Short mmCIF file of all heavy atoms in Angstrom, two decimals:
data_model
loop_
_atom_site.label_atom_id
_atom_site.label_comp_id
_atom_site.label_asym_id
_atom_site.label_seq_id
_atom_site.Cartn_x
_atom_site.Cartn_y
_atom_site.Cartn_z
N ARG W 260 0.71 -1.15 46.37
CA ARG W 260 0.60 -1.86 45.08
C ARG W 260 -0.55 -1.24 44.30
O ARG W 260 -1.68 -1.20 44.78
CB ARG W 260 0.32 -3.33 45.38
CG ARG W 260 0.16 -4.24 44.18
CD ARG W 260 -0.15 -5.62 44.73
NE ARG W 260 -0.01 -6.70 43.81
CZ ARG W 260 -0.04 -7.99 44.18
NH1 ARG W 260 -0.18 -8.32 45.46
NH2 ARG W 260 0.08 -8.94 43.29
N LEU W 261 -0.23 -0.75 43.11
CA LEU W 261 -1.25 -0.18 42.24
C LEU W 261 -1.39 -1.10 41.03
O LEU W 261 -0.40 -1.44 40.39
CB LEU W 261 -0.86 1.24 41.79
CG LEU W 261 -0.52 2.23 42.91
CD1 LEU W 261 -0.15 3.60 42.32
CD2 LEU W 261 -1.69 2.40 43.90
N ARG W 262 -2.63 -1.52 40.77
CA ARG W 262 -2.91 -2.36 39.61
C ARG W 262 -3.50 -1.46 38.54
O ARG W 262 -4.66 -1.04 38.64
CB ARG W 262 -3.89 -3.47 39.98
CG ARG W 262 -3.34 -4.40 41.06
CD ARG W 262 -4.40 -5.43 41.45
NE ARG W 262 -3.98 -6.22 42.58
CZ ARG W 262 -3.70 -7.54 42.51
NH1 ARG W 262 -3.79 -8.19 41.37
NH2 ARG W 262 -3.34 -8.19 43.60
N LEU W 263 -2.69 -1.16 37.54
CA LEU W 263 -3.04 -0.15 36.54
C LEU W 263 -3.65 -0.80 35.31
O LEU W 263 -3.13 -1.79 34.81
CB LEU W 263 -1.77 0.61 36.13
CG LEU W 263 -0.94 1.21 37.27
CD1 LEU W 263 0.43 1.67 36.75
CD2 LEU W 263 -1.69 2.38 37.90
N LEU W 264 -4.73 -0.21 34.84
CA LEU W 264 -5.40 -0.68 33.62
C LEU W 264 -5.84 0.53 32.82
O LEU W 264 -6.46 1.45 33.37
CB LEU W 264 -6.63 -1.53 34.01
CG LEU W 264 -7.68 -1.77 32.91
CD1 LEU W 264 -7.12 -2.61 31.77
CD2 LEU W 264 -8.92 -2.45 33.50
N ASN W 265 -5.53 0.53 31.54
CA ASN W 265 -5.97 1.60 30.64
C ASN W 265 -7.30 1.21 30.01
O ASN W 265 -7.36 0.23 29.26
CB ASN W 265 -4.88 1.83 29.57
CG ASN W 265 -5.23 2.95 28.60
OD1 ASN W 265 -6.41 3.25 28.38
ND2 ASN W 265 -4.22 3.55 27.99
N ILE W 266 -8.38 1.95 30.33
CA ILE W 266 -9.71 1.65 29.76
C ILE W 266 -10.16 2.74 28.79
O ILE W 266 -11.35 3.01 28.64
CB ILE W 266 -10.78 1.41 30.85
CG1 ILE W 266 -10.99 2.65 31.73
CG2 ILE W 266 -10.41 0.21 31.70
CD1 ILE W 266 -12.32 2.64 32.51
N GLU W 267 -9.21 3.37 28.14
CA GLU W 267 -9.51 4.39 27.14
C GLU W 267 -9.97 3.76 25.83
O GLU W 267 -9.76 2.57 25.59
CB GLU W 267 -8.22 5.18 26.82
CG GLU W 267 -7.76 6.08 27.92
CD GLU W 267 -8.52 7.39 27.97
OE1 GLU W 267 -9.26 7.71 27.01
OE2 GLU W 267 -8.37 8.11 28.97
N SER W 268 -10.54 4.61 24.95
CA SER W 268 -10.68 4.19 23.56
C SER W 268 -9.31 4.24 22.89
O SER W 268 -8.90 3.27 22.25
CB SER W 268 -11.64 5.11 22.80
OG SER W 268 -12.96 4.83 23.16
N GLU W 269 -8.59 5.35 23.02
CA GLU W 269 -7.31 5.46 22.31
C GLU W 269 -6.16 6.02 23.15
O GLU W 269 -5.00 5.79 22.83
CB GLU W 269 -7.45 6.39 21.09
CG GLU W 269 -8.18 5.79 19.93
CD GLU W 269 -7.87 6.50 18.61
OE1 GLU W 269 -6.84 7.20 18.51
OE2 GLU W 269 -8.68 6.35 17.68
N ARG W 270 -6.47 6.78 24.20
CA ARG W 270 -5.42 7.52 24.87
C ARG W 270 -4.39 6.61 25.53
O ARG W 270 -4.73 5.62 26.17
CB ARG W 270 -6.02 8.44 25.95
CG ARG W 270 -5.01 9.41 26.58
CD ARG W 270 -5.59 10.21 27.76
NE ARG W 270 -6.82 10.93 27.45
CZ ARG W 270 -6.89 12.03 26.72
NH1 ARG W 270 -5.79 12.57 26.24
NH2 ARG W 270 -8.05 12.62 26.51
N ALA W 271 -3.12 6.99 25.40
CA ALA W 271 -2.04 6.33 26.13
C ALA W 271 -1.75 7.15 27.38
O ALA W 271 -2.02 8.35 27.43
CB ALA W 271 -0.79 6.23 25.26
N TYR W 272 -1.22 6.51 28.41
CA TYR W 272 -0.80 7.20 29.63
C TYR W 272 0.68 6.97 29.84
O TYR W 272 1.12 5.82 29.91
CB TYR W 272 -1.54 6.64 30.86
CG TYR W 272 -3.01 6.99 30.90
CD1 TYR W 272 -3.94 6.18 30.26
CD2 TYR W 272 -3.46 8.11 31.57
CE1 TYR W 272 -5.29 6.49 30.31
CE2 TYR W 272 -4.80 8.43 31.62
CZ TYR W 272 -5.72 7.61 30.99
OH TYR W 272 -7.05 7.92 31.03
N ASN W 273 1.43 8.06 29.95
CA ASN W 273 2.85 7.95 30.30
C ASN W 273 2.95 8.21 31.80
O ASN W 273 3.19 9.33 32.24
CB ASN W 273 3.65 8.97 29.49
CG ASN W 273 5.14 8.80 29.68
OD1 ASN W 273 5.62 7.70 29.95
ND2 ASN W 273 5.88 9.88 29.55
N LEU W 274 2.72 7.15 32.58
CA LEU W 274 2.52 7.32 34.02
C LEU W 274 3.82 7.46 34.80
O LEU W 274 4.82 6.80 34.50
CB LEU W 274 1.74 6.13 34.57
CG LEU W 274 0.30 6.01 34.06
CD1 LEU W 274 -0.30 4.68 34.46
CD2 LEU W 274 -0.57 7.16 34.56
N GLY W 275 3.76 8.30 35.80
CA GLY W 275 4.88 8.47 36.71
C GLY W 275 4.36 9.05 38.01
O GLY W 275 3.17 9.35 38.14
N ILE W 276 5.27 9.20 38.98
CA ILE W 276 4.91 9.83 40.24
C ILE W 276 5.28 11.31 40.12
O ILE W 276 6.29 11.66 39.51
CB ILE W 276 5.64 9.15 41.43
CG1 ILE W 276 5.40 7.63 41.40
CG2 ILE W 276 5.19 9.75 42.76
CD1 ILE W 276 3.96 7.18 41.56
N SER W 277 4.44 12.17 40.71
CA SER W 277 4.58 13.62 40.50
C SER W 277 5.96 14.14 40.87
O SER W 277 6.45 15.10 40.26
CB SER W 277 3.50 14.37 41.28
OG SER W 277 3.46 13.93 42.62
N ASP W 278 6.65 13.54 41.86
CA ASP W 278 7.98 14.03 42.23
C ASP W 278 9.09 13.31 41.47
O ASP W 278 10.27 13.52 41.75
CB ASP W 278 8.21 13.93 43.74
CG ASP W 278 8.19 12.50 44.25
OD1 ASP W 278 8.03 11.56 43.43
OD2 ASP W 278 8.34 12.31 45.47
N GLY W 279 8.71 12.49 40.51
CA GLY W 279 9.71 11.84 39.65
C GLY W 279 10.38 10.63 40.26
O GLY W 279 11.33 10.08 39.67
N ARG W 280 9.90 10.17 41.41
CA ARG W 280 10.57 9.04 42.06
C ARG W 280 10.42 7.75 41.25
O ARG W 280 9.50 7.60 40.45
CB ARG W 280 10.02 8.84 43.48
CG ARG W 280 8.68 8.15 43.54
CD ARG W 280 8.17 8.00 44.96
NE ARG W 280 7.92 9.30 45.59
CZ ARG W 280 7.51 9.43 46.85
NH1 ARG W 280 7.36 8.38 47.63
NH2 ARG W 280 7.27 10.62 47.35
N LYS W 281 11.35 6.88 41.50
CA LYS W 281 11.36 5.56 40.91
C LYS W 281 10.23 4.72 41.51
O LYS W 281 9.88 4.89 42.68
CB LYS W 281 12.71 4.95 41.33
CG LYS W 281 13.25 3.89 40.54
CD LYS W 281 14.72 3.57 40.86
CE LYS W 281 15.18 3.67 42.31
NZ LYS W 281 16.60 3.33 42.47
N PHE W 282 9.67 3.83 40.72
CA PHE W 282 8.74 2.82 41.26
C PHE W 282 9.05 1.50 40.57
O PHE W 282 9.96 1.43 39.74
CB PHE W 282 7.29 3.28 41.11
CG PHE W 282 6.87 3.66 39.71
CD1 PHE W 282 6.19 2.77 38.89
CD2 PHE W 282 7.16 4.93 39.20
CE1 PHE W 282 5.81 3.13 37.59
CE2 PHE W 282 6.77 5.30 37.91
CZ PHE W 282 6.11 4.39 37.11
N TYR W 283 8.34 0.44 40.94
CA TYR W 283 8.76 -0.90 40.52
C TYR W 283 7.62 -1.66 39.85
O TYR W 283 6.55 -1.82 40.45
CB TYR W 283 9.26 -1.69 41.74
CG TYR W 283 10.42 -0.99 42.40
CD1 TYR W 283 10.19 -0.04 43.40
CD2 TYR W 283 11.73 -1.24 42.00
CE1 TYR W 283 11.25 0.65 43.99
CE2 TYR W 283 12.79 -0.56 42.59
CZ TYR W 283 12.55 0.38 43.57
OH TYR W 283 13.60 1.06 44.13
N VAL W 284 7.88 -2.14 38.64
CA VAL W 284 6.93 -3.03 37.97
C VAL W 284 7.11 -4.43 38.55
O VAL W 284 8.23 -4.96 38.56
CB VAL W 284 7.17 -3.05 36.45
CG1 VAL W 284 6.36 -4.16 35.77
CG2 VAL W 284 6.84 -1.70 35.83
N ILE W 285 6.02 -5.00 39.08
CA ILE W 285 6.11 -6.38 39.58
C ILE W 285 5.34 -7.35 38.70
O ILE W 285 5.56 -8.55 38.76
CB ILE W 285 5.65 -6.50 41.06
CG1 ILE W 285 4.22 -6.02 41.24
CG2 ILE W 285 6.62 -5.76 41.99
CD1 ILE W 285 3.61 -6.45 42.58
#
Side-chain angles (χ1 to χ4, degrees):
R260 180 182 195 169
L261 306 180
R262 299 177 187 247
L263 307 168
L264 162 66
N265 181 334
I266 62 161
E267 289 280 348
S268 284
E269 285 201 20
R270 189 186 306 286
Y272 290 87
N273 187 28
L274 294 170
I276 307 297
S277 50
D278 63 2
R280 78 181 64 183
K281 203 167 37 179
F282 54 98
Y283 301 88
V284 170
I285 58 165

